[in-house]
């Protein structure tokens, strides 16, 4: 039997949050029994109008291959012509399209970590040479922008991957920091890819769209998490027209199905209601993080709807909570084996999590002191 490409044979897939359905089936546990804090989605669910739009969508007909109506709505929302927008099957597809369109074997790629693993996977799939600049915990995972810019200037990578706000750290770089990195990319002839999947969860987002004029920037955005459409997969890319044309050429036909397109349009009709939900979620996140701190846990500051907790043993904490039907994200795959990531849920669910955390402490579960970092 012919072997696949070397890049695929040597590829290690990334680990993601969410329910392990195979494990639940093996253990006889129904998915509804699990309280899932391992994902970073809007816990309030989609607007009722979205479900109505789904019921009306014509699934017997091929969808618009360009998602034309949704593309036009997103373009108008961002103040761009439709030619600078590409609708995708979630942000994950956008990441893979960028790698497919821009990377040749041996190209240098820079990833600002710790961060989402699909940047590495997509780059290695194209046999690129991946380099990671890992922000240190003692700096609360805030990246060294000067170091990044200097690295770009010296090594001239083909792509620079940056998640902003970052998953899993919750760090959100401001315009000045991004502009510094983008300027280095312009000088080096590199493309900066900024994943803004969590931007709507921040309380003070800044407008990055004007930076597209540089011609060296692609912005990846999601409607999966903030609009609670994880089961449908929906995202989009903003970029220069030439860049969007390149991504469209490598995108599989009919990538965005009719149901996802209908849901996206309905969600945008109720943008203000979603914004109110995101604001509530931001306050709930601060309350939950404060509850961890009162319990003596090192819960790191965040700008979004999730945060890191240093428990000393992420895998062990995950399994201890799983015995109580609560799922959190072990951060070993991010290179942070001592941490878990908590995605904020509704108030009653957050209270349940803290009740179990307190119970574990009473049962003698070992937690490190807050000064154990570094």
């Amino acid at each position: 039997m012919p072997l696949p490409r070397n890049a695929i044979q040597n590829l290690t897939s990334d680990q993601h949050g969410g329910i392990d359905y195979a494990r639940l089936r093996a253990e006889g546990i129904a998915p509804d029994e699990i309280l899932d804090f391992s994902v970073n989605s809007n816990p309030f669910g989609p607007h009722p109008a979205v479900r109505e739009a789904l019921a009306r969508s014509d699934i017997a007909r091929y969808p618009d291959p360009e998602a034309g109506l949704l593309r036009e709505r997103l373009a108008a929302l961002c103040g761009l012509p439709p030619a600078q927008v590409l609708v995708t099957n979630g942000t994950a597809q956008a990441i893979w399209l960028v790698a497919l369109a821009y990377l040749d074997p041996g190209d240098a790629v820079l990833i600002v970590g710790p961060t989402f693993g699909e940047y590495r996977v997509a780059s290695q799939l194209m046999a690129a040479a991946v380099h990671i600049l890992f922000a240190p915990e003692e700096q609360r995972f805030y990246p060294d922008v000067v170091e990044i810019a200097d690295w770009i200037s010296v090594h001239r990578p083909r792509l620079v991957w940056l998640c902003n706000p970052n998953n899993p750290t919750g760090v959100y770089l401001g315009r000045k920091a991004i502009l510094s990195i983008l300027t280095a990319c312009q000088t080096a002839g590199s493309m900066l890819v900024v994943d803004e999947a969590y931007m709507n969860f921040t309380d003070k987002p800044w407008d990055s769209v004007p930076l597209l004029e540089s011609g060296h920037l692609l912005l990846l955005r999601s409607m999966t998490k903030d609009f609670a459409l994880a089961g449908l997969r929906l995202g989009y890319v903003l970029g220069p027209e030439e860049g969007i044309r390149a991504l469209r050429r490598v995108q599989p036909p009919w990538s965005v199905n009719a149901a996802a397109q209908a849901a996206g349009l309905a969600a945008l009709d109720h943008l203000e209601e979603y914004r109110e939900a995101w604001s509530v979620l931001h306050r709930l996140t601060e309350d939950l993080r404060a509850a961890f701190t009162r319990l003596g846990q090192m819960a790191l500051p965040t700008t979004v709807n999730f945060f890191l907790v240093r428990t000393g043993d992420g895998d062990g904490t995950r399994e201890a909570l799983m015995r109580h039907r609560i799922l959190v994200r072990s951060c070993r795959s991010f290179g942070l084996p001592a941490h878990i990531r908590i995605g904020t849920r509704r108030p009653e669910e957050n209270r349940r999590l803290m009740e179990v955390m307190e119970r574990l402490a009473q049962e003698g579960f070992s937690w490190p002191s807050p000064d154990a970092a570094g």
Side-chain angles (χ1 to χ4, degrees):
M1 176 179 175
L3 293 175
R5 291 190 298 117
N6 288 335
I8 295 176
Q9 294 185 61
N10 300 325
L11 190 65
T12 302
S13 61
D14 189 39
Q15 176 187 340
H16 298 290
I19 291 173
D20 182 343
Y21 291 95
R23 175 180 176 176
L24 295 190
R25 286 194 297 270
E27 297 180 4
I29 302 172
D32 289 345
E33 297 177 43
I34 301 298
L35 192 51
D36 189 1
F37 288 86
S38 74
V39 295
N40 304 333
S41 297
N42 181 347
F44 300 112
H47 192 280
V50 171
R51 299 188 186 279
E52 295 171 6
L54 289 174
R56 294 193 303 269
S57 62
D58 187 355
I59 61 173
R61 179 184 300 171
Y62 280 101
D64 178 352
E66 295 188 355
L69 292 177
L70 182 55
R71 182 182 174 199
E72 291 175 3
R73 286 285 298 278
L74 291 169
L77 184 65
C78 298
L80 293 170
Q84 288 189 251
V85 181
L86 178 70
V87 183
T88 61
N89 188 276
T91 310
Q93 187 194 49
I95 292 168
W96 284 53
L97 293 180
V98 171
L100 185 60
Y102 280 92
L103 293 178
D104 284 316
D107 279 347
V109 167
L110 176 63
I111 299 174
V112 181
T115 195
F116 187 46
E118 288 303 319
Y119 312 134
R120 172 193 61 80
V121 173
S123 300
Q124 290 179 340
L125 178 66
M126 302 309 298
V130 174
H131 305 269
I132 301 175
L133 288 179
F134 205 91
E137 184 175 0
E138 55 267 26
Q139 296 178 12
R140 299 203 171 186
F141 300 110
Y142 194 94
D144 187 330
V145 174
V146 174
E147 179 187 18
I148 294 168
D150 288 346
W151 197 99
I152 293 168
S153 299
V154 172
H155 298 279
R156 307 174 72 87
R158 179 73 165 164
L159 292 179
V160 177
W161 298 98
L162 174 66
C163 188
N164 195 48
N166 186 44
N167 173 24
T169 64
V171 171
Y172 186 35
L173 297 180
R175 186 182 189 278
K176 183 178 179 180
I178 296 297
L179 185 58
S180 178
I181 297 171
L182 178 58
T183 300
C185 286
Q186 287 178 272
T187 303
S190 307
M191 180 67 81
L192 175 60
V193 187
V194 179
D195 184 346
E196 297 183 324
Y198 300 99
M199 183 184 66
N200 281 332
F201 290 119
T202 66
D203 61 337
K204 295 178 180 179
W206 59 274
D207 186 10
S208 56
V209 170
L211 300 183
L212 292 174
E213 295 178 3
S214 70
H216 288 257
L217 177 65
L218 294 171
L219 299 174
L220 313 186
R221 294 186 176 178
S222 172
M223 294 186 70
T224 292
K225 299 170 178 63
D226 41 8
F227 291 93
L229 302 176
L232 291 174
R233 313 302 305 143
L234 189 59
Y236 58 103
V237 184
L238 308 177
E241 291 187 22
E242 298 83 358
I244 295 300
R245 279 198 296 268
L247 299 184
R248 186 175 297 115
R249 282 197 292 268
V250 298
Q251 185 180 37
W254 305 296
S255 284
V256 184
N257 64 61
Q261 293 183 40
L265 287 166
L268 292 177
D269 284 338
H270 298 274
L271 187 55
E272 287 307 314
E273 291 99 318
Y274 275 104
R275 284 174 174 156
E276 291 175 8
W278 301 332
S279 179
V280 170
L281 188 57
H282 184 80
R283 295 194 297 271
L284 289 175
T285 301
E286 287 304 302
D287 291 344
L288 183 57
R289 196 176 71 83
F292 270 90
T293 301
R294 287 193 297 271
L295 196 60
Q297 300 301 299
M298 177 180 248
L300 274 68
T302 186
T303 59
V304 283
N305 62 320
F306 55 86
F307 55 93
L308 287 176
V309 182
R310 192 181 214 283
T311 68
D313 179 4
D315 291 343
T317 305
R318 180 184 187 276
E319 290 306 309
L321 288 168
M322 191 63 183
R323 290 194 288 272
H324 294 268
R325 302 293 194 264
I326 290 179
L327 180 61
V328 299
R329 177 72 153 89
S330 168
C331 291
R332 178 176 296 280
S333 66
F334 293 106
L336 303 173
H339 295 75
I340 59 172
R341 189 193 66 198
I342 302 292
T344 307
R345 296 191 60 84
R346 292 172 291 185
E348 64 276 14
E349 296 168 326
N350 297 337
R351 286 193 292 270
R352 171 60 180 159
L353 170 62
M354 296 316 301
E355 289 171 359
V356 172
M357 291 291 294
E358 292 172 1
R359 180 175 173 182
L360 287 175
Q362 294 170 359
E363 292 174 352
F365 192 86
S366 176
W367 309 107
S369 62
D371 61 358

